[in-house]
Amino acid sequence: QFCVTCCITPSRPWGVCEETAILQGGFLLAARLSRPRPLRELRKADWPRVGRPVTDALGEIGARCPSALQHGLRRKEAVAMVWAKVLLQGAPAASLDEGWKEDGFFSVGRMIPDVNRTVLFELVKALGAPRLFVELLQALPGDVRRSELEQLVEYVASETSPSDIGFFLDVWWEVMKHKEGQEDATVSTFSTLIRQHGCESSLDDGLQPPKRFKGDPGSLNDPPAATSLLMVLIEGLKQTYRSITLPRMRFYALANLVELLSLFTELEPEGSPFPVAEYLHKVSSVVSLWTSDTESQFHRRGLDEKVKEAERSVNLLSVAKLSREELFVGLGFLCSLLHAWGEELQGALNSPEELCYESYRLLDTLTTFAKNLVCFPETRDLGEDETRVVLELTQVTKDFLKEISASLKSKDLDTSLVSSVAMTIIEQKLDRHVDMCSIFASDKTWAFSKDWVDCLVKNKALFQKPELVLNLLETLVNFAMFHQDKEARELQVQVTKAVVECYTELSLTDKNKVISGVLASWGGPGLSLNLQVVMEGFQEDLNVTFNQITKSVSDEGLTRSVASVARLTLLYPEATVKQICNLAVVNLGAHQFLAQILCSFPALSFLETRDDPGRPRSLVVRCLEEAVWGRLSTAREEEQFLEFLAFLTQPSSATPLVSPAEVTEAFVLPCLKSDSAQIELSLQILSKILGIQSCSEEHWIKSCHPFPLLLSLCKLLDSYTTYWHQPRDRLFPSLETKDLILNILCQLCEVVRPETAPSPELWVQSLAWLHRKVASLDWTIGLRLKKLYGDHFKNEVPATLFEICALPEDEWTSRPLPAYGPGSGLLAWMECCCVSTALREKMLTLLTVNVDNPEEVNLFSKGFLVALIQVLPWCSHSEWKRLMHVVENLLQRQVLHVPYTLEYVEYMPLLNLRPFACYLQFSVLFLRGFQLLCSSSCSTWLPAEAWLHVVQLYCSSLTDLLGSVKSTAGPPLHPAEDRTPTQEVSFICIQMFCHLLHVAAMLPDEGCSELLVVVALEILSQYETFSSADTSPSNTLRRANERHFLESIMDNVSDKALRSTLLQKLSKLGARSAGEPV
């Protein structure tokens, strides 16, 4: 059983083993053959006779190795031992006892006889291992390294043979290809061993006098070790170039020299390595030449080895630079060689038989060198002699290249070879394998071969970059468009799976980059547009994924949900977005979570141009339109849609997915017509997004045609003047929506400012245009635009308003309005009060009523009631509340006279009603208003549908009135602390209740009873609360009387349902007062 590796430890670099014994046997046989001359005096001419046993021994060792890697290691160890023997044999000998214990090389060193460098150099030549030699050479201390290379140069320069030339050029080439930091254990051991020992060079080499060396860096004036090596090589070529006769070797020598002068001098331009496509072409060219050249040492090597070596040849690193002086020594030498060999080599290069790697390399490097040489004088400060050398060499190089056939300079390559080389670089993870992935992913001529697919699947981890995923997707789609057979579809499935797995491993930011690329290439349909395999099972996958998402709505599940949606978005973006939009509306409470998921993909803010290239549209907005808009069937769905849309335009911690302007263009502007089915929702959307702050100095509303938008809203408001006369079968927004329109108009007047116009002149023109258009609408609309108009236009009102108001003429002007004849001043005044809170306060201030004139007060009060009834049916809730404040103000100021009659009073109440006088007058005013409204003179004035709205306003006012009474009275206190006006509040509640029943009795039967019942029950509840808190002795009797009175009043209510409900409530109150269980 033979050991496979030598025992290597820090103290014993090479242990004695069977391989060492075999090597020792080879050297002992060689020593016998060299007699009478010892091996340390061996001459070059004797090696063919003496060296065979040593090479045979190495062959036997190699045969025992289980792999080529182990064989290479054994060879390297053998050369390292021999070299160490050469270098250390002059060192002082250690005693036997000390050597065994302290010298790690002692045992092996004593087994190998003393040898000289002839044995070393010839052994390396015989093994064909210049790379091995250079690895060990570079491991030596700097001064020893130069010395050893000089020994080699002197060796090949003496009795030079073609094999010497080849060996020298190979070593040169390997020196330039060598990279630091790739030393294996053998090289490290060799380096350590040499640095730990001091020794004398052999006296018997006959090459130079003995010298002592140590591991010191040498004199500070010495050139750097790397550059000194380069000059040794140039010097070696100078000594041997006359012995180079074969064109192939001359190509080789010139290529080495040009490469050295190009890369290791200031001629090398600053910049990044050449593009990866050029790099691949170079590597492939080298592999192709080695494959076709039977004389190449790499001809029989496998593709993997060829590619690795070719990459080493292409990826040269400049670790040192020659000095300017050394550079021009080299340039002059190159010029002389081109003069000497140029004509012969030109003829050889133009002969197809001479095409080989060495000639290709010379042409490639010389072409680059010539370009750099042209720029050199322009970028450097050169002396006269230096300039002459450069110009001469430039001309010589130009002439040399001019005579070469163009076909030789650009070799056509087999596509299959190039793809195989690229895949080998990727699979072996060679130096530029990461760059190579981009070519692999995007080159459509290689794609979808079996090797290509296998390479992608095995190396998925290398393609986890957004640009590579996109390249792969483009290649995949391109293939799918032209290949639809069964085998092609199977490949598409396999590749799609691999690419999606690469995509899945990306960060969310990188996933968005991929989605952006997909949308840019294929729009909303994404991959599904041309890749049918994506659609197989996609809908089921979509449904399952979102079922899981909607069942696990939580912050913890957000990351997981985003990852799931990311995959679906890659495959079919618009289908995924539509599904989210649909679920956000129909799934109760899931809209915000789904909006968060959607906002995790800012790439979806993509603008499409498929319908109109000049007007790009948001993909998300289109999906919302197609999947949801127009299909909202319930108020809840509309509410969720509104909140979902608001989140997309203003997410809490993400980039908005759609802009307010896009939302306005899609969901608001097309629907601003009173007969639009989505008008109310559109207005809610506009109101919501107007609150969103603009990201830039310019407000987003500027891009949404603000003045036409304002005019549309004004026209909507104007249409409310004929609200109750609209055909019932026509769609029209409700009066509740009127308040929304008013709020939006107010918001727009805030944000549409002069700054939104491109110029002051255009702002004035726009205002004039709007003013001209609004002039044909209801006059109150102009008042609502006052903040927008500023000082450009006065307030235009009916002339009759001037009769009751002291209006300043610098702000107000009359407007001819036939509908406002004599006596209509109060109506106009009241309509002004409805416009805004600020204008209401101004109207109250400007109102002129002489309270000292009873007749004027009476006329005003009667006219006020008529005007109030005229305005009431057309008021929105906010407008009516403003009017209620007007009534309260006028009552408190005693400008409005509302006498309180005793029609629902059985006896004179001995109570303090002064704090509540205003509320009693309010209730009476409502009663008088409805008496007028329900009178025969007004019987045909209101359509049936209007009564419900009127009653709604009445009921809301009663509810507010009830709250005001309670607030004035304060909460009922404990009987012992009774200071609450309980009897007064009870009285007021009874009066309000009676007034309400009176109104109910007058109203036409239009389904208003439900509203009235609610308020009536509320009044009775408050009555019960306060009357129960009354602790006076007569309370029981009084409550019994009041109950009897209320029952008698209710007997007159014609609505049976209303009467029954109220009597039932009253009976419960009676039971409580009597102490009966309820």
Side-chain angles (χ1 to χ4, degrees):
Q1 206 49 342
F2 298 103
C3 65
V4 179
T5 61
C6 291
C7 178
I8 299 178
T9 65
S11 60
R12 293 188 176 277
W14 291 293
V16 177
C17 60
E18 193 144 0
E19 279 86 350
T20 317
I22 294 172
L23 185 60
Q24 180 191 30
F27 273 106
L28 291 176
L29 286 174
R32 186 182 301 169
L33 291 173
S34 71
R35 290 176 184 168
R37 190 183 297 276
L39 285 178
R40 67 173 179 272
E41 298 176 6
L42 187 71
R43 297 173 181 172
K44 186 186 295 190
D46 297 331
W47 176 259
R49 175 175 56 83
V50 173
R52 183 66 178 271
V54 179
T55 55
D56 287 347
L58 287 173
E60 183 180 346
I61 292 171
R64 297 170 183 271
C65 294
S67 67
L69 183 63
Q70 286 291 337
H71 185 196
L73 180 60
R74 294 288 77 76
R75 295 200 314 170
K76 185 181 290 187
E77 287 176 349
V79 173
M81 290 176 189
V82 172
W83 205 338
K85 182 69 178 180
V86 171
L87 290 172
L88 301 181
Q89 62 193 9
S95 67
L96 189 60
D97 290 339
E98 291 177 353
W100 277 105
K101 295 176 183 177
E102 300 174 5
D103 190 350
F105 188 62
F106 184 81
S107 301
V108 174
R110 291 179 69 88
M111 291 179 70
I112 299 174
D114 290 346
V115 294
N116 62 2
R117 288 179 176 78
T118 299
V119 175
L120 171 65
F121 297 149
E122 292 297 335
L123 177 61
V124 177
K125 279 171 56 180
L127 293 176
R131 181 176 180 180
L132 180 159
F133 178 83
V134 171
E135 286 178 1
L136 294 171
L137 175 72
Q138 296 285 11
L140 294 171
D143 54 346
V144 182
R145 191 185 312 160
R146 178 181 177 116
S147 173
E148 290 301 296
L149 190 58
E150 287 173 344
Q151 298 271 21
L152 174 63
V153 167
E154 289 196 41
Y155 181 78
V156 298
S158 174
E159 303 176 29
T160 306
S161 67
S163 63
D164 289 335
I165 294 296
F167 178 54
F168 169 68
L169 294 176
D170 285 341
V171 168
W172 183 341
W173 186 213
E174 288 297 336
V175 167
M176 291 196 293
K177 290 190 290 183
H178 179 76
K179 291 180 182 176
E180 298 291 340
Q182 298 181 347
E183 297 81 7
D184 59 16
T186 301
V187 174
S188 298
T189 301
F190 175 72
S191 178
T192 303
L193 180 68
I194 300 305
R195 281 173 163 77
Q196 286 176 348
H197 288 73
C199 62
E200 298 287 345
S201 297
S202 172
L203 292 171
D204 300 325
D205 282 356
L207 298 176
Q208 67 174 28
K211 66 179 180 181
R212 180 83 175 172
F213 72 87
K214 297 286 183 185
D216 60 74
S219 168
L220 293 175
N221 295 323
D222 290 344
T227 58
S228 64
L229 281 189
L230 299 176
M231 288 309 297
V232 171
L233 293 169
I234 293 175
E235 187 59 36
L237 183 57
K238 284 185 177 181
Q239 294 180 29
T240 57
Y241 79 93
R242 291 182 180 82
S243 302
I244 304 176
T245 56
L246 296 175
R248 190 182 192 112
M249 289 297 101
R250 288 183 171 180
F251 291 142
Y252 198 175
L254 280 173
N256 279 359
L257 180 58
V258 174
E259 198 96 62
L260 187 152
L261 295 173
S262 295
L263 194 63
F264 298 93
T265 68
E266 57 184 303
L267 270 174
E268 182 195 21
E270 297 293 332
S272 57
F274 39 71
V276 65
E278 183 181 345
Y279 158 80
L280 176 60
H281 187 273
K282 285 178 179 289
V283 173
S284 301
S285 297
V286 173
V287 171
S288 174
L289 287 165
W290 284 342
T291 302
S292 61
D293 185 2
T294 56
E295 294 183 32
S296 170
Q297 60 176 315
F298 299 105
H299 176 69
R300 296 186 180 278
R301 304 273 184 93
L303 181 63
D304 289 2
E305 286 188 73
K306 286 177 181 173
V307 172
K308 284 181 182 178
E309 188 58 35
E311 192 184 51
R312 284 188 70 233
S313 303
V314 170
N315 277 351
L316 298 183
L317 292 178
S318 176
V319 294
K321 300 287 187 185
L322 294 179
S323 67
R324 176 72 66 87
E325 182 181 353
E326 291 169 332
L327 167 63
F328 277 92
V329 169
L331 293 178
F333 181 43
L334 174 60
C335 191
S336 64
L337 286 181
L338 286 173
H339 277 302
W341 293 346
E343 188 175 344
E344 181 185 349
L345 293 185
Q346 283 174 338
L349 283 169
N350 287 317
S351 171
E353 294 80 14
E354 291 294 337
L355 183 63
C356 59
Y357 170 61
E358 288 75 13
S359 61
Y360 162 80
R361 186 171 151 242
L362 173 61
L363 284 176
D364 182 60
T365 191
L366 195 60
T367 302
T368 304
F369 175 78
K371 293 177 184 177
N372 295 342
L373 203 60
V374 170
C375 302
F376 188 55
E378 301 170 3
T379 58
R380 297 292 189 276
D381 185 17
L382 302 181
E384 186 178 340
D385 292 340
E386 292 172 336
T387 303
R388 180 183 51 76
V389 171
V390 170
L391 293 176
E392 181 183 0
L393 183 55
T394 302
Q395 188 60 48
V396 171
T397 307
K398 181 180 178 182
D399 294 342
F400 180 84
L401 292 172
K402 183 171 64 176
E403 299 300 324
I404 309 302
S405 169
S407 62
L408 292 173
K409 296 178 184 177
S410 56
K411 179 177 172 60
D412 292 330
L413 296 172
D414 182 11
T415 302
S416 63
L417 173 65
V418 177
S419 64
S420 297
V421 168
M423 286 184 268
T424 301
I425 291 172
I426 292 170
E427 290 175 345
Q428 298 295 322
K429 295 182 175 56
L430 301 182
D431 277 358
R432 295 190 67 180
H433 69 280
V434 174
D435 296 336
M436 194 56 58
C437 289
S438 62
I439 291 185
F440 175 92
S442 56
D443 196 307
K444 297 170 180 58
T445 57
W446 311 345
F448 287 87
S449 66
K450 185 179 182 304
D451 290 340
W452 187 90
V453 174
D454 289 344
C455 181
L456 173 62
V457 172
K458 289 176 186 175
N459 298 280
K460 285 181 294 193
L462 297 176
F463 292 89
Q464 291 171 10
K465 293 183 179 179
E467 59 274 10
L468 295 181
V469 171
L470 275 171
N471 288 342
L472 286 169
L473 290 175
E474 289 172 7
T475 302
L476 174 59
V477 169
N478 180 265
F479 178 80
M481 289 172 66
F482 301 104
H483 301 83
Q484 302 294 337
D485 56 274
K486 182 181 178 182
E487 183 182 356
R489 288 176 69 83
E490 290 174 355
L491 287 172
Q492 290 171 38
V493 171
Q494 192 176 357
V495 172
T496 302
K497 181 184 176 189
V499 177
V500 170
E501 288 174 3
C502 294
Y503 168 81
T504 303
E505 296 300 320
L506 298 177
S507 66
L508 185 57
T509 301
D510 285 344
K511 285 176 181 172
N512 271 290
K513 290 179 182 177
V514 174
I515 294 170
S516 291
V518 168
L519 291 171
S521 298
W522 303 291
L527 298 177
S528 68
L529 184 65
N530 298 303
L531 197 60
Q532 289 303 309
V533 296
V534 165
M535 298 306 297
E536 296 171 4
F538 177 81
Q539 189 60 47
E540 182 181 356
D541 193 9
L542 189 71
N543 293 337
V544 170
T545 299
F546 279 103
N547 282 340
Q548 293 172 344
I549 288 173
T550 52
K551 288 177 182 176
S552 59
V553 174
S554 67
D555 291 340
E556 294 78 14
L558 181 61
T559 302
R560 185 171 60 254
S561 299
V562 167
S564 300
V565 172
R567 180 177 53 81
L568 297 170
T569 306
L570 171 74
L571 301 176
Y572 199 165
E574 72 175 36
T576 306
V577 175
K578 285 181 180 179
Q579 185 80 340
I580 291 177
C581 295
N582 183 59
L583 291 174
V585 169
V586 301
N587 264 69
L588 185 63
H591 56 285
Q592 184 166 342
F593 184 70
L594 290 168
Q596 282 180 284
I597 293 174
L598 203 56
C599 286
S600 299
F601 301 99
L604 293 174
S605 58
F606 174 72
L607 298 177
E608 300 177 310
T609 56
R610 60 180 189 175
D611 296 329
D612 184 357
R615 295 187 63 192
R617 294 190 65 222
S618 164
L619 167 67
V620 174
V621 169
R622 178 174 67 82
C623 290
L624 281 165
E625 286 180 307
E626 294 178 4
V628 179
W629 190 245
R631 303 183 185 183
L632 302 168
S633 56
T634 66
R636 180 63 188 173
E637 287 186 359
E638 289 186 354
E639 182 183 345
Q640 293 212 160
F641 173 78
L642 184 61
E643 291 178 7
F644 179 69
L645 194 58
F647 194 97
L648 297 184
T649 54
Q650 196 174 29
S652 56
S653 60
T655 305
L657 208 51
V658 293
S659 70
E662 290 170 335
V663 171
T664 304
E665 291 278 354
F667 302 115
V668 177
L669 297 183
C671 304
L672 286 185
K673 298 176 182 176
S674 58
D675 58 351
S676 170
Q678 287 88 24
I679 177 67
E680 296 195 8
L681 182 56
S682 292
L683 290 168
Q684 289 177 46
I685 292 170
L686 181 57
S687 177
K688 195 92 170 177
I689 62 173
L690 275 173
I692 296 175
Q693 295 299 317
S694 184
C695 297
S696 61
E697 292 183 4
E698 284 188 352
H699 197 279
W700 58 264
I701 198 67
K702 179 181 178 181
S703 63
C704 297
H705 319 292
F707 282 92
L709 175 58
L710 282 163
L711 180 60
S712 297
L713 293 169
C714 292
K715 286 181 177 179
L716 277 174
L717 276 181
D718 181 69
S719 63
Y720 278 99
T721 58
T722 58
Y723 183 80
W724 298 118
H725 305 293
Q726 298 285 343
R728 290 303 97 190
D729 57 347
R730 181 189 171 193
L731 288 170
F732 197 86
S734 67
L735 270 168
E736 285 78 9
T737 306
K738 182 181 180 183
D739 275 339
L740 184 60
I741 297 171
L742 292 172
N743 287 334
I744 292 170
L745 199 60
C746 184
Q747 285 177 283
L748 280 172
C749 288
E750 291 283 348
V751 297
V752 178
R753 308 305 303 153
E755 305 83 57
T756 59
S759 67
E761 294 78 14
L762 189 59
W763 171 256
V764 173
Q765 290 173 14
S766 300
L767 281 181
W769 175 85
L770 182 63
H771 183 264
R772 189 168 60 254
K773 293 289 184 181
V774 169
S776 63
L777 307 180
D778 184 68
W779 64 273
T780 59
I781 294 173
L783 300 180
R784 298 183 189 276
L785 298 174
K786 179 59 181 174
K787 186 152 192 174
L788 187 71
Y789 287 160
D791 297 331
H792 290 279
F793 303 102
K794 293 181 180 181
N795 294 320
E796 299 177 2
V797 294
T800 54
L801 184 60
F802 284 83
E803 298 171 4
I804 64 165
C805 282
L807 299 175
E809 294 185 0
D810 58 334
E811 296 179 25
W812 301 78
T813 184
S814 62
R815 176 178 172 181
L817 293 166
Y820 289 79
S824 63
L826 262 180
L827 174 63
W829 180 84
M830 202 169 286
E831 287 181 286
C832 285
C833 290
C834 291
V835 169
S836 68
T837 302
L839 189 56
R840 179 195 68 192
E841 297 304 314
K842 183 174 283 189
M843 288 292 105
L844 285 170
T845 304
L846 297 174
L847 179 66
T848 55
V849 178
N850 185 3
V851 293
D852 296 328
N853 186 336
E855 186 178 352
E856 187 173 336
V857 171
N858 277 327
L859 283 172
F860 171 78
S861 299
K862 291 176 182 178
F864 185 90
L865 180 62
V866 172
L868 186 66
I869 295 306
Q870 282 182 282
V871 172
L872 170 61
W874 279 267
C875 277
S876 68
H877 283 276
S878 68
E879 290 173 323
W880 181 244
K881 282 186 181 294
R882 289 194 190 101
L883 284 183
M884 290 303 93
H885 178 82
V886 169
V887 173
E888 183 179 6
N889 179 278
L890 295 176
L891 287 173
Q892 289 176 343
R893 288 164 53 192
Q894 298 183 9
V895 174
L896 179 64
H897 178 59
V898 181
Y900 193 86
T901 58
L902 302 178
E903 53 197 305
Y904 292 109
V905 180
E906 287 187 297
Y907 54 87
M908 180 64 64
L910 300 177
L911 303 171
N912 179 20
L913 297 176
R914 186 174 296 280
F916 306 97
C918 179
Y919 310 129
L920 286 170
Q921 288 177 301
F922 243 123
S923 187
V924 170
L925 183 66
F926 290 147
L927 175 60
R928 300 292 175 251
F930 274 99
Q931 285 175 329
L932 176 61
L933 196 58
C934 298
S935 65
S936 58
S937 60
C938 298
S939 59
T940 59
W941 184 52
L942 278 184
E945 298 82 3
W947 285 104
L948 183 62
H949 175 67
V950 168
V951 171
Q952 281 179 335
L953 296 180
Y954 170 57
C955 289
S956 70
S957 294
L958 285 184
T959 301
D960 292 342
L961 195 60
L962 205 57
S964 298
V965 170
K966 185 177 179 181
S967 177
T968 301
L973 300 177
H974 189 272
E977 305 173 5
D978 187 13
R979 289 188 300 276
T980 304
T982 53
Q983 292 181 28
E984 285 86 348
V985 174
S986 298
F987 176 80
I988 291 167
C989 288
I990 290 172
Q991 293 301 301
M992 288 175 63
F993 184 77
C994 293
H995 294 160
L996 183 145
L997 293 185
H998 192 151
V999 169
M1002 292 187 291
L1003 289 174
D1005 186 16
E1006 298 297 343
C1008 302
S1009 60
E1010 288 184 13
L1011 295 169
L1012 296 170
V1013 163
V1014 172
V1015 179
L1017 291 175
E1018 190 177 348
I1019 294 172
L1020 287 176
S1021 295
Q1022 188 151 321
Y1023 162 77
E1024 179 190 12
T1025 300
F1026 278 87
S1027 64
S1028 299
D1030 183 9
T1031 57
S1032 64
S1034 61
N1035 180 45
T1036 304
L1037 175 62
R1038 184 169 55 255
R1039 291 187 67 180
N1041 289 336
E1042 287 170 350
R1043 177 188 172 195
H1044 177 73
F1045 174 71
L1046 292 174
E1047 286 175 350
S1048 65
I1049 293 296
M1050 279 188 275
D1051 287 340
N1052 297 320
V1053 177
S1054 59
D1055 190 320
K1056 293 181 180 180
L1058 175 61
R1059 185 172 68 247
S1060 173
T1061 303
L1062 296 179
L1063 284 172
Q1064 186 179 3
K1065 175 70 174 180
L1066 201 58
S1067 67
K1068 291 180 181 179
L1069 296 181
R1072 287 194 184 96
S1073 65
E1076 301 172 6
V1078 178

